[in-house]
């Protein structure tokens, strides 16, 4: 099982959407996505919950969690969400950074754009890693 961590500071928006799309689109026999943050918020931003509900993903019970060494222990890759110097760093993991706007305080239209960009990036990552649900094993 390959584990990918999607992380930002508060784990209340971008990283939650990323892990949700990853787990929806990845072959569950091959990989899983986890979201976390360095300073987790109390809850996922309501506008993020609304935007994801529009595409059939329910984040209403998702809880932000802290990125710990234990959580990252068996992961393969860390994808950070454009948080600059405040982005988490975990030694030994492949890393990518997606410079995406923070949905905190944004309107639904802006969050929809970020959501759609995240889905596009997740689809591309899964294709590159050959982890999509419909990936051809040959």
């Amino acid at each position: 099982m390959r584990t990918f961590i999607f992380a930002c500071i508060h784990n209340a928006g971008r990283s939650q959407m990323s892990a949700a799309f990853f787990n929806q689109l990845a072959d569950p026999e091959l990989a899983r996505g986890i979201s976390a943050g360095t300073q987790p918020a109390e809850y996922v931003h309501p506008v993020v919950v609304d935007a994801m509900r529009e595409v059939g993903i329910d984040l209403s019970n998702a809880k932000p969690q802290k990125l710990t060494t234990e959580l990252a222990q068996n992961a393969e890759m860390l994808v950070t969400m454009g948080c600059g110097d405040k982005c988490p760093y975990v030694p030994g993991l492949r890393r990518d950074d997606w410079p995406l706007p923070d949905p905190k305080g944004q309107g639904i239209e802006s969050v929809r754009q970020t959501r759609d960009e995240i889905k596009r990036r997740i689809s591309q990552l899964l294709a590159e890693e050959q982890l999509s649900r419909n990936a051809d094993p040959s």
Side-chain angles (χ1 to χ4, degrees):
M1 175 68 67
R2 296 170 65 187
T3 301
F4 291 71
I5 298 177
F6 300 92
C8 58
I9 299 169
H10 300 295
N11 188 219
R14 298 164 289 185
S15 56
Q16 290 280 350
M17 290 189 281
S18 297
F21 277 128
F22 188 95
N23 289 324
Q24 180 189 56
L25 300 171
D27 183 332
E29 300 289 317
L30 301 176
R32 68 185 180 128
I34 298 172
S35 71
T38 53
Q39 299 167 13
E42 294 290 316
Y43 52 84
V44 175
H45 300 305
V47 69
V48 169
V49 173
D50 291 344
M52 293 301 282
R53 187 176 289 127
E54 291 176 352
V55 295
I57 296 176
D58 184 5
L59 290 180
S60 61
N61 293 318
K63 298 280 185 234
Q65 66 177 335
K66 186 165 182 64
L67 178 60
T68 63
T69 304
E70 294 76 28
L71 189 69
Q73 187 173 3
N74 295 313
E76 175 176 322
M77 184 173 192
L78 172 67
V79 179
T80 54
M81 303 287 150
C83 41
D85 293 340
K86 295 180 182 175
C87 276
Y89 173 74
V90 179
L93 295 185
R94 281 192 302 145
R95 183 168 174 192
D96 197 2
D97 184 66
W98 296 350
L100 299 164
D102 188 345
K104 184 178 183 179
Q106 299 294 316
I108 190 72
E109 284 301 323
S110 176
V111 175
R112 283 178 183 138
Q113 290 175 3
T114 301
R115 174 199 67 200
D116 295 346
E117 176 62 14
I118 287 171
K119 184 174 184 182
R120 186 192 69 73
R121 287 172 181 259
I122 291 292
S123 295
Q124 182 179 353
L125 174 65
L126 291 171
E128 289 169 0
E129 299 288 330
Q130 297 182 330
L131 295 172
S132 297
R133 284 184 186 268
N134 57 358
D136 182 359
S138 58

